[in-house]
Each structure stands twice: as structure tokens, then as C-alpha cells.
Amino acid sequence: MSAAGRFPSWVLLEPFVFRRDDDDSFPEESSAPIRASATTSWGADIRIAFSVAEPPRISRLYAQLPEPGFLGPRKSTPLAILATHRHLALLRLAGKIQGLTLQDLFIYSATATDEKSSLMALPSCTEPGFDYTRADGRRLPPSSSPRLLAVKSMGLWCRGEDDEFVVAELSLYIPSETSTEVFADICLLRSSSSTAAGGPAAKWDTFRVEIPCSDDDNPDGHAWQISRWQTDSVISFRQWLCWIDYNRGILLLCDMSKLPARPSVSFLRFPLHEFPSTNIHTYAFSFLYRGVSVVGHGSALKFVNVARQDGHAFGALKPGTGFTITCHTLVLGGGGGMAWKEDYRVSSDELWEVNCFAHDILMFPRVDIDRPHVAHFLSIEFKYVNKKMWTISIDMSTKAVESFSLYINGKEGLQSDDADLIKLKSMAPLPFLPCEFPKFLHLSSS
């Protein structure tokens, strides 16, 4: 929190959940003031606490998940924060009872008036999925067991200032290898303000929606390209819930404003030269160097791409090489058209010429919500197994580094409370999650 004790208008949240199961290790309210508790469907009690900081400092989510309600930390990662939008956050709790995997979804609301209502359990999904052995869109037989949703493909969207929200999972279906048709299979829960107020429970529903793409969008055939789809991120922008594949360079926009009618799904390419070839392994790491950010508190969408010159997929830059950063804004036309406009282009030589920081590759770009000319990055020292990491903020308009600060202290931090974070993130670095809900806490308490 700031020196004045106020919550920042937005934060960069570390996706790694800091599991602290005993009272002594769980943070005090003074250091993690945003707190909530709940009970899972299998009777396990949970506590969470957010520690928030002004970007580019990184915020954290702590969780108390004691045994026997949850497996030990070395066996399981039962809590994940899946998505945020405005004043809401979507959390997933997982457990295993008598060999059966259980999945609970909770909505955290920053505008709740008391702690008990700030974590709301969502109903389990019992909607049958589509039968992929048939091309006629027929569904599988109903089942009494709750359906396990693919959490990596789930997103959260809310409408305006009220409590109406949508939680949705999207997967792609292509009838055959030679098909020119692509369908989005969407499983979603649509709530309303009455749900949060104790009204009728929200219900899950499923839709199969064809994705229209012209030959101009992809002369090689969009079905072939999208068939290799892998969701890297799900974000909310205006009336759309957007699924992103950085490797394919594709954005799928699902229009939630059409609900309760069938939503539509459209196809948009990023401003890249071409679709990747499947035999080039470098593209599999594209999520490290590309990022989409919603800025201006939901008014604009920006895409940042860090292009390495050495062709390496991951690791330190090859000596004598660098990179180029480009930033584009999505321009929306009056007739529903969309086009990318380049805002900034900065080379590593230009940055290194006027700024004193290590000549390392920059990763996981995130554009500042309040200052769209500023981008935040993660920089990694690849020298050791347990790597040091820094956050770097760059003013793209002036090509100047605003800040350069240590985030993870590598092997020197293994004796601290961050040892679990250091070990995991050294092996599998992840992007930070932009969140706006602290702003609503400040407003609701003022």
C-alpha cells in the first residue's frame, strides 16, 4: 500500500499462490489487508489474503489451506487465481476425496459489504459436454457427477458496476482434418445481481458457435491454423471475453453483450508478419515475449511484442544480438471493423545507449493501465539454476527506463520465505496478472 495507506487503483499480481497453512506463517492484516474466508463443498475451510503494492512492485495472494482438507504443499497446488475483471476475481479450489477429484469455483468481490459475502461459491457445472465422436453437435449423456472445467481456458467478465458476471470456458472443435469450419464450444455461467443478493442461483449453459473467417484473414486456411490452438491467456475487453493464443498470433472475441441469446465469436490476428510454421520450436515460447493489456480502465486494448534477434526460444541473449519492442493499439471502427495501429517501436540498442541496466532479454510485457505509454517487463539472470529476476518499467514514448528493481533474489533468497516462489519460478516463469479490484475497495471504504 502507499504511504497514505490507500489502495492503488490497480496492481500487478503474482500468479503464484503463497501457501501458508499455519497461523504463524500466514501474514498479519497489516501486511495483507484484503482478506476473506470460505468453506469448500467438501467441508474444508480456507482463508486468503492479498498484499497489494503500487506497480511496478508486485502484489501477492496468500492462502491458508490446512490438512486434512487439502493435500500437503508438495503434493498439490489446490488454489489458483484464474482471472479478474473490474471488482471481481475468479478462484479455483481443488481437492481429492476418496480418489475423486473435486473442483470448486469462487468469486471474490471487492465491493462486498462484509467478509462472509466476499467469497461466493459458484454452483458446480453438470452441463453435458459435446460428443466429439459425432459431427452433428450432439451432446454427451447427462451425468450426476460435476463436470471438471479446463481452468486454463476459463475467463471472467462483468457488466458495469453491478454484480452481474459471466464465467466461461472455451474450446475449439473442427469436424475433420479437411474441414474449413471451426466451432467454439462454450460452457458458461451467467449470474445476475439477484444471484449475489440471495436470489435464484446462477446456471451453467453450453453453446456451439461457428467462428467466421474469410480467406483474406488466413489464405492458408484458418481451420488448419486454429486446430493447433492453445490458450495462453483470457482477458475481458469492453463487451468481449477474449481468448488468446500467442503462438498462433490469434485473438478470439466472444461477445457477451448478446446474452442470454447465443453469443458470437470473431477472429482477429495480431499485427505479426505471418502464422508460425509448426516446425519452428521458437514459436512455442511466444507467450514469454508477447502480451495483451487492457488500459484506460477498459477503454483500449494494447499488444506488445518483444522480437529476439538471435532466434533462440528461451535463455540469455546470444552475444552481439538484441531485440525490438513494438506496441500496437486496437482501433475500433464505427461499422464494427478492427485494425492495429503501431504506437511505439524501441530497439535494445536505443535502450542500452541511454540507460544503465543489464543487456538481458525482456519478457512478459504488461502495459500500465493508468499510463499507456509505460510498459512493465520481467528480466531474468540466466546464469544460475535459481535465477535472480528484476522488474523493469520503460517509458516507450521517450525510450527511457523509469525503474529497475530486484524482484527475486535467486539462490540468495532460498533462506527466506520466498524459497517456494524462487524454486518454481526459476523453472517456469509466469506473467503477472493485472488487477483493478483494489480500486473498488478504496471506493467502497471512502
Side-chain angles (χ1 to χ4, degrees):
M1 297 176 62
S2 65
R6 307 167 103 185
F7 292 115
S9 63
W10 74 284
V11 298
L12 285 167
L13 182 64
E14 166 60 58
F16 174 79
V17 177
F18 294 80
R19 185 172 176 178
R20 304 291 184 259
D21 292 347
D22 59 86
D23 291 336
D24 292 337
S25 63
F26 195 72
E28 297 181 354
E29 189 169 359
S30 58
S31 59
I34 304 175
R35 307 168 84 86
S37 60
T39 302
T40 68
S41 61
W42 58 93
D45 293 329
I46 66 169
R47 293 173 65 199
I48 62 170
F50 290 95
S51 174
V52 296
E54 194 86 35
R57 291 184 295 159
I58 309 303
S59 301
R60 295 182 171 188
L61 170 60
Y62 295 90
Q64 193 173 64
L65 309 168
E67 301 179 66
F70 299 94
L71 296 177
R74 295 184 179 182
K75 298 181 180 180
S76 174
T77 53
L79 176 60
I81 180 164
L82 305 183
T84 68
H85 189 211
R86 298 183 63 79
H87 61 290
L88 300 179
L90 175 64
L91 306 177
R92 187 284 325 260
L93 270 297
K96 189 176 286 287
I97 304 297
Q98 297 180 346
L100 180 66
T101 299
L102 303 175
Q103 180 188 76
D104 281 3
L105 298 175
F106 285 86
I107 289 288
Y108 168 76
S109 174
T111 58
T113 56
D114 57 61
E115 186 180 38
K116 292 182 180 179
S117 62
S118 61
L119 267 179
M120 180 178 67
L122 300 183
S124 298
C125 178
T126 55
E127 277 287 306
F130 290 96
D131 187 349
Y132 290 120
T133 65
R134 307 178 64 96
D136 57 6
R138 189 172 300 184
R139 301 190 188 188
L140 295 168
S143 173
S144 59
S145 300
R147 176 176 168 182
L148 294 179
L149 300 171
V151 295
K152 191 175 180 180
S153 297
M154 295 187 68
L156 170 68
W157 177 88
C158 64
R159 189 195 306 271
E161 300 289 344
D162 57 27
D163 288 320
E164 182 180 355
F165 62 86
V166 173
V167 172
E169 175 210 54
L170 179 145
S171 59
L172 296 185
Y173 170 69
I174 300 176
S176 68
E177 292 183 0
T178 59
S179 176
T180 59
E181 296 177 310
V182 180
F183 297 90
D185 287 347
I186 305 168
C187 181
L188 64 82
L189 176 145
R190 176 176 175 264
S191 81
S192 65
S193 57
S194 63
T195 303
K203 295 183 179 180
W204 291 90
D205 202 353
T206 54
F207 302 91
R208 171 164 286 179
V209 181
E210 185 173 1
I211 304 174
C213 298
S214 68
D215 290 340
D216 293 337
D217 291 326
N218 179 14
D220 296 327
H222 67 271
W224 180 83
Q225 288 292 345
I226 298 181
S227 67
R228 290 159 176 79
W229 176 276
Q230 180 175 334
T231 299
D232 290 314
S233 180
V234 187
I235 63 169
S236 298
F237 171 58
R238 296 200 177 189
Q239 73 264 36
W240 298 286
L241 195 52
C242 307
W243 280 261
I244 300 168
D245 183 337
Y246 288 122
N247 178 22
R248 312 307 322 160
I250 299 171
L251 185 74
L252 295 178
L253 300 99
C254 184
D255 192 345
M256 294 298 170
S257 67
K258 297 179 180 295
L259 295 174
R262 181 182 299 270
S264 62
V265 179
S266 55
F267 171 102
L268 180 68
R269 291 186 58 185
F270 288 125
L272 303 168
H273 294 303
E274 59 185 9
F275 278 111
S277 300
T278 56
N279 60 351
I280 301 179
H281 75 284
T282 304
Y283 287 104
F285 291 83
S286 297
F287 74 98
L288 299 172
Y289 310 111
R290 295 171 180 170
V292 173
S293 301
V294 181
V295 301
H297 303 288
S299 64
L301 193 71
K302 288 187 175 289
F303 171 66
V304 178
N305 182 45
V306 181
R308 297 180 66 133
Q309 297 172 359
D310 59 8
H312 288 184
F314 184 63
L317 284 169
K318 184 179 178 181
T321 66
F323 54 86
T324 300
I325 307 172
T326 54
C327 180
H328 290 76
T329 297
L330 184 63
V331 179
L332 305 178
M338 298 180 180
W340 294 100
K341 174 183 176 294
E342 183 174 311
D343 299 319
Y344 308 108
R345 180 179 293 266
V346 182
S347 70
S348 53
D349 288 339
E350 291 173 307
L351 291 172
W352 295 335
E353 182 180 3
V354 297
N355 302 284
C356 296
F357 69 97
H359 292 195
D360 294 324
I361 186 66
L362 301 184
M363 304 164 61
F364 299 123
R366 288 289 181 263
V367 177
D368 194 288
I369 289 179
D370 292 330
R371 299 182 301 154
H373 60 283
V374 173
H376 307 288
F377 302 86
L378 186 70
S379 176
I380 298 178
E381 180 186 55
F382 287 97
K383 187 182 301 184
Y384 303 103
V385 173
N386 295 299
K387 305 169 182 65
K388 290 188 177 183
M389 302 185 186
W390 292 265
T391 56
I392 299 178
S393 301
I394 297 175
D395 186 328
M396 299 291 289
S397 63
T398 62
K399 304 177 183 180
V401 173
E402 281 195 349
S403 66
F404 180 84
S405 57
L406 184 67
Y407 176 55
I408 290 179
N409 201 22
K411 62 179 182 179
E412 297 174 22
L414 290 177
Q415 304 304 316
S416 70
D417 290 338
D418 288 346
D420 48 357
L421 168 68
I422 295 170
K423 293 176 181 178
L424 177 66
K425 203 150 189 177
S426 289
M427 295 184 294
L430 294 170
F432 301 120
L433 180 64
C435 306
E436 289 189 277
F437 65 79
K439 173 185 66 176
F440 294 90
L441 280 165
H442 171 63
L443 292 176
S444 63
S445 61
S446 60

